[in-house]
């Protein structure tokens, strides 16, 4: 059984935002949920092995959220707790849930965040640079000793506001994950096959473009892989689905035996499945209640749905 090949249990280092999210959908409103790119990614990765989280929160950060990280065996030595307010983000979805607008971004202690890595974190082989400013990603990589596999995620803000930092970062990555609109923004190219080629030229060996409920495309030395999204009848809140996708990917890669090239396609399937659970509840509410066996069940279903 595939399950048994997951036994290396290397930990992954995940850096990104750790936030309080206030989310509005046409059906409900939920204030101050646990959010942030690193929170979603860390919980997703924790299904596969140990995770070290690097981020910053204020002294208003609820203890129950620290307990939640701990329940997922997430190492918090790299999480700074500083006097002041936790990063607070608020977003509102339209009826079709594909369109979201940001209502508010209060940086709080995040404004002066400098990710300083404890010694034990500097030698981690698998690194996820979750969505934060690329200058902070550089700062993390400057402290690392020869990581084996580095993947980064981004958002339109960094492509628009800090393009030079991002372009320098792309040369330091093994894999880059972004969504379709970000890929078009970065490359000025609507055809994703052409966009993938253009992004490879900027540095990363693997490029994955996410297309929300339409799945994702991977491009790498072994060619193209079309990864399906798990078909959901009901989406409650898609916030953090992208972060969950890339978190599960890196978690799976760190745990799987053999070279990354043998495992990266399957890692995206796990990414799709964990992201699907994320969409079924507000914030991390659904993901944190999922059992590993349920993940395996959806992976099997995706296999059946795409076999021909
Ligand atoms: P996603 O739905 O995958 O785009 O991720 C949403 C998460 O990104 C939320 O939990 C937010 O807290 C976080 N987020 C929103 N804006 C930013 C930002 N400027 N920097 C870092 N994280 C952000």
């Amino acid at each position: 059984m595939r399950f048994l090949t997951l036994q290396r249990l290397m930990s992954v280092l995940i850096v990104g935002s750790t936030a309080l999210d206030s989310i509005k959908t046409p059906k409900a409103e939920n204030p101050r949920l646990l959010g942030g790119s690193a929170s979603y990614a860390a919980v997703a990765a924790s299904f596969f092995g140990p995770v070290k989280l690097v981020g910053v929160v204020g002294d208003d950060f609820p203890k129950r959220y620290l307990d939640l990280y701990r329940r997922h065996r997430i190492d918090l030595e790299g999480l700074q707790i500083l006097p002041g307010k936790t990063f607070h983000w608020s977003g509102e979805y339209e009826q079709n849930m594909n369109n979201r607008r940001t209502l508010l971004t209060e940086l709080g202690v995040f404004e002066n965040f400098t990710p300083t890595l404890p010694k034990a974190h500097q030698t981690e082989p698998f690194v996820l640079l979750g969505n934060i400013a690329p200058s902070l990603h550089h700062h993390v990589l400057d402290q690392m000793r020869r990581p084996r596999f580095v993947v980064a995620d981004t958002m339109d803000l960094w492509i628009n506001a800090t393009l030079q930092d991002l372009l320098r970062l792309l040369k330091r990555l093994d894999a880059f994950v972004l969504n379709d609109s970000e890929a078009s923004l970065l490359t000025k190219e609507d055809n994703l096959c052409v966009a993938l080629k253009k992004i490879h030229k900027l540095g990363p060996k693997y490029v994955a473009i996410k297309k929300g409920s339409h799945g994702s495309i991977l491009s790498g030395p072994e060619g193209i892989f079309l990864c399906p999204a798990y078909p959901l009848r009901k989406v409650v809140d898609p916030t953090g689905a992208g972060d969950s996708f890339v978190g599960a990917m890196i978690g799976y890669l760190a745990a799987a035996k053999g070279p990354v090239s043998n495992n990266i396609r399957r890692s995206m399937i796990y990414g799709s499945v964990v992201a699907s659970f994320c969409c079924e509840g507000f914030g991390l509410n659904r993901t944190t209640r999922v059992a590993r066996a349920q993940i395996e069940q959806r992976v099997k279903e995706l296999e059946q749905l795409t076999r021909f």
Side-chain angles (χ1 to χ4, degrees):
M1 207 171 117
R2 287 276 180 182
F3 214 3
L4 297 177
T5 62
L6 286 176
Q7 51 201 0
R8 206 168 48 187
L9 288 189
M10 276 190 193
S11 66
V12 299
L13 181 83
I14 296 181
V15 59
S17 55
T18 37
L20 298 175
D21 285 354
S22 296
I23 302 169
K24 241 184 181 175
T25 67
K27 296 235 165 73
E29 205 171 326
N30 270 285
R32 303 180 97 74
L33 296 165
L34 174 59
S37 55
S39 302
Y40 282 105
V43 170
S46 74
F47 288 108
F48 307 95
V51 176
K52 293 186 164 110
L53 175 71
V54 174
V56 65
V57 293
D59 50 16
D60 60 344
F61 194 67
K63 181 179 169 296
R64 66 180 186 282
Y65 293 159
L66 293 173
D67 292 339
L68 185 153
Y69 288 141
R70 289 193 189 102
R71 273 201 305 282
H72 284 264
R73 293 170 300 135
I74 295 167
D75 181 320
L76 300 180
E77 202 194 335
L79 180 70
Q80 300 170 30
I81 303 179
L82 301 180
K85 289 206 155 113
T86 301
F87 176 50
H88 180 210
W89 174 83
S90 173
E92 180 176 19
Y93 288 90
E94 289 174 14
Q95 193 65 40
N96 80 359
M97 301 295 253
N98 284 324
N99 300 333
R100 176 176 85 190
R101 66 190 182 102
T102 291
L103 299 175
L104 164 120
T105 305
E106 292 171 328
L107 290 177
V109 290
F110 202 62
E111 188 159 9
N112 299 311
F113 177 43
T114 310
T116 306
L117 301 191
K119 256 224 145 31
H121 291 41
Q122 296 171 4
T123 50
E124 286 300 316
F126 287 84
V127 181
L128 167 57
L129 305 170
N131 173 28
I132 46 171
S135 59
L136 298 179
H137 291 160
H138 282 290
H139 190 70
V140 168
L141 290 181
D142 290 345
Q143 296 168 73
M144 304 275 329
R145 288 196 220 123
R146 296 175 159 272
R148 190 175 144 203
F149 194 80
V150 180
V151 55
D153 193 359
T154 196
M155 71 187 286
D156 52 359
L157 174 66
W158 314 122
I159 299 172
N160 287 323
T162 60
L163 183 61
Q164 289 315 312
D165 285 346
L166 182 65
L167 292 176
R168 266 195 316 119
L169 181 75
L170 292 181
K171 299 195 191 318
R172 305 179 76 178
L173 301 179
D174 298 287
F176 186 42
V177 177
L178 68 175
N179 69 31
D180 43 5
S181 62
E182 292 157 358
S184 299
L185 179 67
L186 178 64
T187 59
K188 308 204 173 9
E189 177 58 62
D190 285 332
N191 181 317
L192 294 186
C193 297
V194 180
L196 284 166
K197 280 214 173 337
K198 286 191 169 179
I199 300 172
H200 278 306
K201 284 205 179 116
L202 298 171
K205 180 170 170 185
Y206 292 101
V207 182
I209 298 183
K210 298 167 288 176
K211 300 181 293 166
S213 58
H214 302 294
S216 51
I217 312 180
L218 172 76
S219 168
E222 299 81 30
I224 294 260
F225 173 58
L226 302 178
C227 176
Y230 183 85
L232 287 179
R233 293 223 181 96
K234 190 170 167 214
V235 171
V236 173
D237 169 23
T239 309
D243 307 309
S244 302
F245 175 87
V246 71
M249 256 185 98
I250 193 90
Y252 180 88
L253 286 174
K257 280 205 292 191
V260 164
S261 56
N262 286 0
N263 300 315
I264 192 158
R265 290 180 171 209
R266 187 164 278 268
S267 79
M268 288 179 66
I269 297 291
Y270 277 87
S272 270
V273 165
V274 178
S276 73
F277 284 114
C278 177
C279 292
E280 287 183 313
F282 265 98
L284 278 156
N285 287 352
R286 171 78 169 119
T287 315
T288 49
R289 286 179 176 82
V290 165
R292 181 59 194 273
Q294 293 172 283
I295 295 176
E296 295 303 327
Q297 178 56 36
R298 283 197 178 177
V299 167
K300 262 198 210 141
E301 284 176 50
L302 272 190
E303 255 172 351
Q304 279 156 9
L305 284 168
T306 53
R307 186 179 303 143
F308 65 92

